[in-house]
Amino acid sequence: LSTKVDGQICFIIKKNNSINLVNHNSTPFDRKELINELSESLKKHEGVYVGEIYFHSDNKRTRTYDLKKEIKDPKSDIRIAVFDLLEHNNKEFNENDWSNKKSLLKSIFSTGKNVFFLDEIELKNKKEIEDEFKIRADDQNEEGVVVRGESGPVFKIKEYLSFDLVILGYVNGYQNNSLLLKEILVGVKNGKDTFLVIGIVVNGFSVEDREKFSKAFDKIKVDSDALEISNSKIPFTMIEPKYIVEIESTDIMNSTSSGVIKRNILKYDKKYVLEKSSPSVSLTTPVIIKFRDDKKVNDNDVGINQIERVINLEDDNYKEADKKPSKTLKKEIYVKEVKGLKMVKKFFVWETNVQSDEYPKYVFYKVDYSPSRVNKLNRDIKVSNDKKQILNIFKDSIESDIKKGWNKY
């Protein structure tokens, strides 16, 4: 068992007297003091070693976002806790060959000050693991522990994260029952009448809850110029931001291998309007614990600060284009009902108002929803820098799609 360090994964690659420190995307960590130390530790070694790079402080527990803030400051105390190796002196190691890997890592990094082997202790049973977790996570305020079987799997043990989030929308269809709630869209308050979308929650409801809140949400439906899509590939029905739920999650992420996670910021004034896309997070296996009738929709109870206390939302590489709010130039909705089933087609044209060559000036967007199809929701997007062209696309699409039986909504 070892302490779980709260940083970022780091690969140490030594080949032909060259040492590189990179993350999972092969982005380098530019830390000369660490490379200088590794030049001594790895003088007689080559290979690929794995560790957690983190910002160290004697006075507090540091988190991933502390590393992001401090990594560019050459005076910051940045360290690497090495916990695995993939290759050593042209020999590859199996995942479960831990005994040999551990011996090598201890001998190579035993004298390191800022790059060191992550100490382990051996435990015999579940009770000892639980006691050690309590000491490190609760008493010492560490992120958690990592438990490695002698020749088996590796487990990360952390406390659940808890957040109070506002319900922004919902979708019915649990067990193919259109009267039962299936998914909810949740967010945090991040300004006056604005909400940052956090994600989708599907678990934690009883069947009684699904029936009860489906009826309750139906009474507070509101319009939205923003389209949020559920896991069922159906647009969320948006509701007044009145209900608050406590959500537990096993983990939280602000980026993936594709880059920073971004979601919409929605402004509410009797309906939702898309303000912009912004760095957000993804919750791992979120579960509803309970509805919070004792909470209010304000910055203290459901604000973005509860996210920022555990992870950083800043993106050093993210710079939003200079823009005004986008403007809807055209919008038409058509409905057709066959045997009690409603089909919907929506057509939109936006002027993006972005002063940047990286973005189009105009966007055409079509939504085609039919509950009887295998793929219930089809979408089409076209972009142009010519207003006349995008309006012709809008007009031609309606003329070709809307035939007898469709009624303008």
Side-chain angles (χ1 to χ4, degrees):
L1 179 146
S2 61
T3 296
K4 187 179 186 313
V5 179
D6 197 351
Q8 292 184 16
I9 193 166
C10 176
F11 296 93
I12 303 168
I13 304 171
K14 165 76 182 300
K15 189 174 183 180
N16 298 331
N17 295 320
S18 175
I19 298 175
N20 292 290
L21 306 177
V22 298
N23 70 3
H24 63 287
N25 282 329
S26 298
T27 303
F29 295 106
D30 184 17
R31 300 297 300 194
K32 291 182 180 179
E33 81 282 9
L34 298 181
I35 291 176
N36 290 339
E37 182 175 317
L38 286 165
S39 297
E40 292 298 317
S41 301
L42 298 175
K43 187 176 291 186
K44 299 179 180 179
H45 307 277
E46 283 193 350
V48 181
Y49 312 89
V50 188
E52 191 86 357
I53 187 168
Y54 68 102
F55 170 61
H56 175 80
S57 172
D58 292 328
N59 302 319
K60 67 170 185 174
R61 168 190 164 186
T62 62
R63 300 179 184 270
T64 302
Y65 59 79
D66 291 308
L67 175 69
K68 291 187 70 176
K69 291 178 181 177
E70 300 288 342
I71 191 70
K72 294 181 179 180
D73 183 354
K75 296 180 181 180
S76 295
D77 189 354
I78 305 296
R79 303 185 183 186
I80 302 175
V82 181
F83 59 81
D84 201 358
L85 68 85
L86 304 179
E87 180 185 313
H88 177 73
N89 291 346
N90 295 317
K91 178 183 177 181
E92 295 184 357
F93 290 81
N94 295 325
E95 184 179 354
N96 57 3
D97 190 12
W98 180 238
S99 179
N100 289 328
K101 291 198 290 184
K102 180 178 179 180
S103 297
L104 271 171
L105 292 172
K106 288 185 73 172
S107 65
I108 295 170
F109 298 103
S110 60
T111 59
K113 176 187 174 185
N114 294 320
V115 184
F116 57 92
F117 176 66
L118 190 58
D119 286 336
E120 292 186 327
I121 60 172
E122 293 187 6
L123 301 175
K124 297 178 180 179
N125 53 52
K126 181 180 176 182
K127 177 65 168 56
E128 290 184 351
I129 293 173
E130 290 176 347
D131 291 343
E132 191 65 29
F133 173 80
K134 185 178 184 304
I135 292 171
R136 301 193 188 204
D138 295 346
D139 299 344
Q140 298 176 2
N141 195 32
E142 299 289 356
E143 184 185 13
V145 299
V146 177
V147 179
R148 186 191 301 270
E150 187 173 356
S151 60
V154 177
F155 299 96
K156 297 178 182 179
I157 304 176
K158 301 165 57 176
E159 291 185 321
Y160 277 99
L161 300 170
S162 178
F163 306 99
D164 293 324
L165 306 177
V166 185
I167 300 178
L168 305 174
Y170 76 105
V171 162
N172 283 346
Y174 179 70
Q175 295 184 346
N176 294 321
N177 187 332
S178 62
L179 300 178
L180 296 181
L181 180 69
K182 186 176 183 180
E183 307 172 28
I184 59 172
L185 180 73
V186 294
V188 292
K189 196 169 187 295
N190 72 324
K192 181 174 173 55
D193 300 322
T194 60
F195 299 88
L196 173 65
V197 174
I198 296 299
I200 297 170
V201 183
V202 300
N203 296 317
F205 297 101
S206 66
V207 174
E208 291 77 14
D209 283 340
R210 294 182 186 276
E211 182 176 13
K212 171 185 174 182
F213 288 105
S214 173
K215 293 178 180 178
F217 295 163
D218 184 65
K219 297 176 182 177
I220 56 172
K221 293 187 295 186
V222 296
D223 290 335
S224 175
D225 287 345
L227 194 67
E228 297 287 342
I229 305 299
S230 69
N231 290 339
S232 309
K233 308 303 179 187
I234 299 172
F236 277 102
T237 298
M238 306 300 283
I239 63 172
E240 297 174 26
K242 290 184 174 181
Y243 285 88
I244 298 171
V245 284
E246 180 182 344
I247 304 293
E248 278 193 352
S249 173
T250 57
D251 207 350
I252 185 171
M253 300 180 295
N254 60 6
S255 63
T256 66
S257 58
S258 301
V260 172
I261 294 169
K262 295 175 185 174
R263 305 192 193 279
N264 289 334
I265 291 179
L266 304 178
K267 185 173 183 63
Y268 179 73
D269 183 10
K270 297 184 180 178
K271 73 172 186 178
Y272 289 98
V273 176
L274 174 63
E275 271 211 344
K276 62 180 180 180
S277 177
S278 179
S280 184
V281 296
S282 175
L283 301 181
T284 305
T285 59
V287 177
I288 284 183
I289 302 303
K290 59 184 176 181
F291 280 75
R292 298 299 303 263
D293 297 332
D294 57 322
K295 299 282 186 176
K296 303 293 183 184
V297 180
N298 57 43
D299 292 332
N300 289 329
D301 288 349
V302 293
I304 197 171
N305 60 303
Q306 59 184 319
I307 301 293
E308 293 177 328
R309 68 180 167 83
V310 295
I311 197 167
N312 183 30
L313 290 179
E314 287 182 7
D315 173 19
D316 294 334
N317 298 317
Y318 177 76
K319 183 178 180 181
E320 181 160 5
D322 181 21
K323 66 183 290 291
K324 302 173 184 177
S326 59
K327 179 182 178 183
T328 303
L329 299 180
K330 291 280 188 179
K331 174 182 176 182
E332 292 189 17
I333 301 172
Y334 295 86
V335 178
K336 183 178 181 180
E337 187 167 342
V338 178
K339 296 181 180 179
L341 297 177
K342 283 188 177 181
M343 295 170 281
V344 180
K345 291 186 179 183
K346 298 182 178 182
F347 304 85
F348 302 88
V349 170
W350 285 288
E351 183 176 5
T352 62
N353 286 323
V354 180
Q355 304 303 316
S356 170
D357 293 336
E358 297 180 3
Y359 295 86
K361 290 183 179 179
Y362 303 99
V363 178
F364 165 80
Y365 188 63
K366 183 183 79 172
V367 180
D368 182 356
Y369 171 68
S370 175
S372 60
R373 284 197 308 250
V374 175
N375 295 321
K376 295 180 173 60
L377 185 68
N378 292 326
R379 288 167 286 176
D380 185 26
I381 298 177
K382 292 181 172 66
V383 299
S384 175
N385 287 326
D386 186 279
K387 184 175 182 179
K388 183 177 179 181
Q389 183 186 43
I390 206 76
L391 292 176
N392 283 335
I393 291 171
F394 177 85
K395 178 174 174 288
D396 293 344
S397 183
I398 292 176
E399 288 179 353
S400 64
D401 276 28
I402 302 304
K403 304 298 182 183
K404 184 179 179 180
W406 287 92
N407 299 304
K408 193 171 182 179
Y409 181 75

